[in-house]
């Protein structure tokens, strides 16, 4: 999606919405140290994708990220931004083209929210009214009310609001590349989850190339289109999309790092709506029993599911309900658990296990039955080749 | 010599309650009648303080900016200005007299020397207190070193810088009462000219104290006006 905003088309700073980033044997050896912090790192991040650099502390992931905008100088090798070496760029100029968000956020305490966000546009010499319009647009983009937030100082914001302002500031000049160093690391788990989802939703819209650093493998799996696992000494252990990484870890280190529950983690990448469900034998009260029996035969489910006029599940029918001419309301059990199309498979599996059920009805947004999910289907989903599994911003529900 | 004539004039205690004045007492009516005698020394005192502070601030600021880039200079500059700060002030006036002669120049040089350590140390402390992540974010967004200094580091160091200026101002007002040893007049000259007369000592002394307080308040008001963010807290 190459969406070009009107703001991009005017002015000298118009540039593509996203850039391709390529590490070529990029190496960093700090002065006075024998071992490299980043060792001949080679990988390519396609335009518009989120690449997560993940690994234990001391693996060089932050160093690798900071070499991109030359906050740390490259010892040997190269990093190319849209085919052009960052080494031949003047650092300050290069950095103005690259969004930069860090864990501690680093908002300027003496400037208002609006002035903080306007930092790079002002460095680039944007006209005042364009900058002002951009600030309001960005505040809305990160779910903050411009009128309420614009003139506040950072000290007057909550942690989550500050983080959003930090992201807005990094996006201010519409950079083709974003660098994010544990941007949600200092936020409590509930708000972190919300900010992650918000960022993925945002990314779906803006499609930037993003280098995202984290030490948290779950965050990496959630955020990344591709994940680069680094190990101590700055060596790249594996570079792959999340599903592939979880299914085919290429060695002991990655296997240990992604964890023993990697199959379950994979289930977190897929949503119920992404897999083929069983057809549910839906029957209504008063329906001929012969029809109901036929529906059960056509289905993988052994019992008919009674639904109301709107298709909402009432429960599984007992054998006695099918003894007469017409179906009666004689239930064997309630239709539990009911899972939703937007649930990730891991949560759906957990629901099934908690109810000691082999299968359960799947409901659509209106609460009507869309199919049946069973342990067997989930088992099949685990065998799906990783390229079928969507990741990063694409994994979000279409209506999300 | 003008100074001697001035001394003769000030010792003329005409007017006011004669017996109180004769007893060297504290005579409010004499003070009210003779307040105008203190106008010129007070203005001279203000002049010495402001000029010394301005020069002292300019030198300290320059030194601090140089030392901010070259950290190894902080220790030697602190030591040198520290030595200047500990020299007995009267000794400095007398040491300078053969070189710069009697007058404002000698007094100002000494007063400037005293202000350097306080202002320099506060500017350095203010710059050091700027959070590392704020600087990192600034650099990461493409601010040059100079832009970072003027747009981020110095504004954030303002509270400490102005706090240093406040201390320096009160110290300078106090030390300037000794400036008459260098022939630069000021309120100190009035005090020492008739140090046995309580009315005189109290008036000149009180004016010096009020002057110090006035400098303090003015700089504090400036500080609050230019650092609105420092009072902004979540409401």
């Amino acid at each position: 999606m190459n969406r070009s905003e009107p703001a991009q088309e005017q002015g000298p700073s118009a540039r593509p919405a996203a850039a391709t980033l390529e590490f070529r044997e990029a190496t960093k050896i700090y002065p006075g140290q024998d071992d490299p912090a980043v060792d001949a790192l080679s990988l390519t991040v396609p335009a518009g994708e989120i690449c997560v650099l993940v690994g234990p502390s001391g693996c060089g992931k932050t160093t690798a990220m900071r070499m991109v905008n030359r906050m740390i100088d490259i010892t040997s090798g190269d990093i190319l931004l849209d085919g052009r070496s960052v080494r031949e760029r003047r650092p300050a100029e290069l950095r103005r083209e690259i969004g930069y968000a860090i864990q501690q956020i680093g908002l300027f305490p003496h400037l208002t929210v609006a002035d903080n966000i306007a930092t790079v546009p002002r460095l680039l010499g944007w006209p005042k009214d364009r900058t002002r319009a951009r600030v309001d647009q960005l505040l809305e983009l990160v779910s903050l009310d411009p009128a309420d937030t614009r003139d506040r100082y950072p000290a007057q914001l909550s942690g989550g609001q500050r983080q959003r302002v930090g992201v807005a500031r990094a996006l201010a000049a519409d950079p083709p590349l974003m660098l994010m160093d544990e941007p949600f690391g200092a936020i409590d788990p509930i708000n972190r989850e919300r900010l992650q989802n918000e960022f993925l939703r945002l990314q779906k819209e803006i499609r930037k190339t993003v280098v995202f650093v984290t030490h948290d493998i779950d965050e990496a799996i959630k955020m990344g289109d591709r994940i680069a696992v680094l190990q101590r000494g700055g060596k790249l252990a594996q570079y792959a999309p999340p599903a592939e990484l979880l299914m085919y870890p290429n060695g002991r280190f990655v296997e240990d790092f992604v964890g023993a529950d990697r199959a379950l983690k994979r289930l977190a990448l897929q949503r119920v709506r992404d897999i083929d469900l069983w057809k549910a034998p839906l029957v209504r009260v008063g329906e001929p029993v012969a029809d109901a029996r036929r529906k059960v035969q056509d289905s993988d489910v052994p019992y008919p599911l009674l639904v109301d006029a709107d298709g909402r599940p009432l429960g599984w029918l007992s054998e006695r309900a099918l003894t007469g001419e017409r179906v009666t309301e004689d239930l064997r059990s309630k239709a539990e658990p009911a899972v939703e199309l937007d649930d990730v498979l891991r949560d759906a599996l957990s629901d099934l296990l908690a109810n000691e059920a082999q299968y359960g009805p799947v409901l659509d947004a209106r609460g009507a039955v869309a199919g049946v999910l069973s342990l067997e289907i989930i088992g099949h989903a685990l065998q799906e080749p990783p390229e079928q599994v969507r990741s990063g911003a694409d994994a979000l529900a279409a209506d999300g | 010599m003008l100074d001697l004539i001035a001394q003769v004039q000030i010792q003329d205690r005409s007017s006011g309650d004669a017996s109180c004045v004769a007893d060297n007492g504290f005579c409010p009516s004499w003070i009210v009648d003779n307040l105008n005698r203190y106008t010129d020394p007070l203005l001279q005192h203000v002049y010495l303080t402001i000029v010394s502070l301005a020069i002292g601030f300019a030198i300290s600021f320059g030194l601090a900016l140089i030392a901010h880039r070259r950290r190894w200079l902080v220790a030697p500059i602190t030591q040198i200005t520290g030595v200047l700060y500990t020299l007995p002030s009267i000794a400095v006036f007398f040491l300078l007299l053969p070189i710069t002669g009697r007058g404002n120049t000698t007094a100002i040089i000494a007063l400037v020397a005293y202000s350097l350590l306080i202002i320099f140390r506060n500017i350095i402390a203010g710059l050091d207190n700027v959070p590392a992540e704020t600087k990192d974010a600034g650099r990461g967004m493409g601010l040059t070193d100079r832009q970072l200094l003027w747009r981020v580091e110095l504004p954030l160091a303002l509270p400490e810088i102005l706090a240093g200026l406040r201390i320096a101002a009160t110290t300078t007002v106090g030390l300037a009462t000794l400036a008459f040893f260098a022939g630069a007049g000021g309120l100190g000259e009035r005090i020492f000219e008739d140090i046995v007369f309580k009315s005189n000592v109290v008036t000149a002394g009180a004016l010096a104290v009020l002057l110090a307080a006035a400098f303090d308040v003015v700089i504090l008001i400036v500080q609050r006006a230019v650092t609105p963010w420092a009072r902004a807290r979540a409401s």
Side-chain angles (χ1 to χ4, degrees):
Chain A
M1 188 169 81
N2 264 322
R3 216 170 68 96
S4 67
E5 291 170 20
Q8 276 177 39
E9 289 163 7
Q10 31 178 282
S13 57
R15 53 185 113 69
T20 307
L21 180 68
E22 188 184 352
F23 288 80
R24 261 191 208 164
E25 306 267 309
T27 300
K28 176 67 190 180
I29 304 173
Y30 285 108
Q33 290 193 341
D34 297 331
D35 301 321
V38 175
D39 194 0
L41 178 65
S42 291
L43 58 83
T44 301
V45 188
E49 290 201 359
I50 300 178
C51 164
V52 179
L53 302 177
V54 69
S57 51
C59 70
K61 52 192 188 293
T62 296
T63 303
M65 186 204 86
R66 289 168 73 89
M67 287 197 290
V68 174
N69 65 349
R70 296 195 55 186
M71 292 293 278
I72 292 176
D73 267 316
I74 307 167
T75 308
S76 68
D78 207 349
I79 294 174
L80 308 176
L81 190 57
D82 267 342
R84 194 172 163 201
S85 168
V86 299
R87 304 184 80 162
E88 41 183 69
R89 307 288 307 277
R90 283 188 29 220
E93 213 173 90
L94 173 74
R95 290 171 195 160
R96 290 170 197 174
E97 284 179 25
I98 299 176
Y100 188 65
I102 54 178
Q103 179 181 343
Q104 310 84 347
I105 316 175
L107 292 181
F108 300 140
H110 62 302
L111 297 181
T112 60
V113 166
D115 288 337
N116 263 287
I117 295 175
T119 304
V120 177
R122 281 186 191 145
L123 288 172
L124 294 172
W126 284 21
K128 271 198 177 113
D129 47 349
R130 183 184 172 198
T131 304
R132 201 175 310 126
R134 179 68 177 157
V135 166
D136 285 1
Q137 183 193 9
L138 282 163
L139 283 172
E140 270 165 27
L141 200 64
V142 296
S143 317
L144 291 173
D145 175 19
D148 182 49
T149 330
R150 208 189 283 129
D151 297 321
R152 291 197 191 206
Y153 289 105
Q156 295 169 308
L157 304 176
S158 72
Q161 288 174 320
R162 261 177 245 168
Q163 197 58 62
R164 289 189 179 91
V165 173
V167 170
R169 185 173 70 167
L171 283 168
D174 209 9
L177 172 68
M178 294 266 287
L179 303 180
M180 307 181 86
D181 189 0
E182 307 226 13
F184 311 129
I187 310 277
D188 64 272
I190 293 170
N191 277 305
R192 184 186 314 149
E193 171 116 35
R194 194 152 77 207
L195 284 166
Q196 287 169 342
N197 291 340
E198 265 177 31
F199 185 75
L200 286 175
R201 200 161 297 142
L202 189 65
Q203 166 68 357
K204 237 180 141 174
E205 227 177 283
I206 60 181
R207 290 289 168 180
K208 301 291 176 193
T209 308
V210 179
V211 176
F212 190 109
V213 169
T214 181
H215 63 270
D216 176 358
I217 185 66
D218 291 307
E219 185 170 59
I221 290 164
K222 177 165 186 181
M223 304 301 287
D225 294 303
R226 282 156 201 271
I227 299 175
V229 183
L230 297 174
Q231 54 190 357
R232 278 219 171 70
K235 288 188 181 64
L236 181 63
Q238 188 167 5
Y239 183 48
E244 191 185 318
L245 192 77
L246 292 169
M247 202 157 186
Y248 310 119
N250 70 355
R252 201 46 208 271
F253 175 79
V254 178
E255 211 177 307
D256 287 348
F257 190 76
V258 298
D261 61 340
R262 60 192 164 88
L264 284 177
K265 284 185 170 127
R266 247 194 99 206
L267 289 178
L269 289 172
Q270 284 166 289
R271 286 177 194 272
V272 175
R273 71 159 73 248
D274 296 334
I275 58 173
D276 291 328
L277 300 171
W278 280 350
K279 208 176 135 208
L282 301 180
V283 301
R284 290 181 169 82
V285 173
E287 202 175 317
V289 165
D291 289 0
R293 288 200 184 282
R294 194 162 358 91
K295 283 179 186 170
V296 172
Q297 267 169 13
D298 288 349
S299 165
D300 294 299
V301 190
Y303 308 107
L305 180 61
L306 189 70
V307 293
D308 67 10
D310 295 323
R312 283 192 282 260
L314 298 169
W316 302 103
L317 284 175
S318 68
E319 201 48 46
R320 235 178 327 140
L322 303 177
T323 45
E325 278 278 294
R326 306 257 158 192
V327 173
T328 60
E329 195 175 345
D330 194 337
L331 298 179
R332 150 193 317 275
S333 61
K334 285 196 205 152
E336 279 174 345
V339 300
E340 284 168 29
L341 280 171
D342 278 341
D343 287 347
V344 293
L345 288 185
R346 188 181 52 186
D347 296 347
L349 173 64
S350 169
D351 282 349
L352 289 177
L353 295 177
N355 283 277
E356 295 177 20
Q358 296 282 320
Y359 47 82
V362 175
L363 309 184
D364 63 16
R366 294 190 326 275
V369 176
V372 170
L373 179 73
S374 69
L375 295 180
E376 205 182 319
I377 303 177
I378 294 174
H380 284 310
L382 278 174
Q383 274 137 48
E384 234 180 278
E387 51 275 15
Q388 305 274 315
V389 180
R390 298 188 295 173
S391 42
D394 289 323
L396 279 186
D399 54 1
Chain B
M1 290 185 87
L2 280 173
D3 290 304
L4 287 175
I5 298 163
Q7 281 183 19
V8 172
Q9 279 172 344
I10 194 71
Q11 278 167 352
D12 168 26
R13 298 182 193 165
S14 56
S15 87
D17 180 347
S19 71
C20 170
V21 173
D23 289 347
N24 283 328
F26 177 68
C27 327
S29 60
W30 182 90
I31 294 171
V32 172
D33 289 346
N34 291 275
L35 214 47
N36 60 339
R37 296 182 180 217
Y38 296 88
T39 314
D40 285 346
L42 178 66
L43 290 178
Q44 168 67 4
H45 212 103
V46 171
Y47 169 80
L48 286 176
T49 306
I50 289 180
V51 171
S52 303
L53 274 183
I55 297 173
F57 183 80
I59 295 174
S60 307
F61 191 71
L63 288 174
L65 292 197
I66 293 167
H68 184 54
R69 290 269 172 275
R70 298 168 189 78
R71 297 300 304 183
W72 58 272
L73 280 170
V74 172
I77 293 175
T78 308
Q79 278 153 15
I80 293 167
T81 54
V83 168
L84 290 176
Y85 186 73
T86 50
L87 286 177
S89 47
I90 297 177
V92 175
F93 289 132
F94 288 133
L95 278 173
L96 283 170
L97 279 178
I99 307 161
T100 50
R102 284 173 64 80
N104 287 343
T105 313
T106 305
I108 289 170
I109 289 174
L111 293 176
V112 165
Y114 277 100
S115 68
L116 294 180
L117 177 70
I118 300 166
I119 304 178
F120 173 77
R121 276 219 304 222
N122 272 272
I123 298 176
I124 289 292
L127 291 174
D128 284 351
N129 282 346
V130 175
E133 67 265 22
T134 309
K135 289 187 272 190
D136 185 72
R139 257 189 223 108
M141 283 188 293
L143 268 71
T144 61
D145 283 350
R146 177 178 300 214
Q147 287 166 333
L148 193 71
L149 179 69
W150 289 95
R151 298 185 193 190
V152 179
E153 296 180 280
L154 285 172
L156 285 176
L158 266 181
E160 280 99 335
I161 294 175
L162 291 173
L165 203 56
R166 280 170 66 196
I167 303 170
T170 31
T171 314
T172 305
V173 169
L175 282 176
T177 53
L178 299 176
F180 74 96
F181 280 113
L187 290 167
E189 189 170 65
R190 282 288 175 274
I191 296 173
F192 286 96
E193 269 163 7
D194 201 355
I195 202 159
V196 289
F197 183 25
K198 283 181 188 150
S199 302
N200 173 54
V201 173
V202 167
T203 310
L207 285 173
V209 170
L210 286 176
L211 184 60
F215 271 109
D216 200 49
V217 168
V218 167
I219 300 173
L220 182 65
I221 289 169
V222 169
Q223 180 181 333
R224 290 175 76 93
V226 297
T227 58
W229 78 89
R231 275 167 292 127
R233 287 284 168 270
S235 47

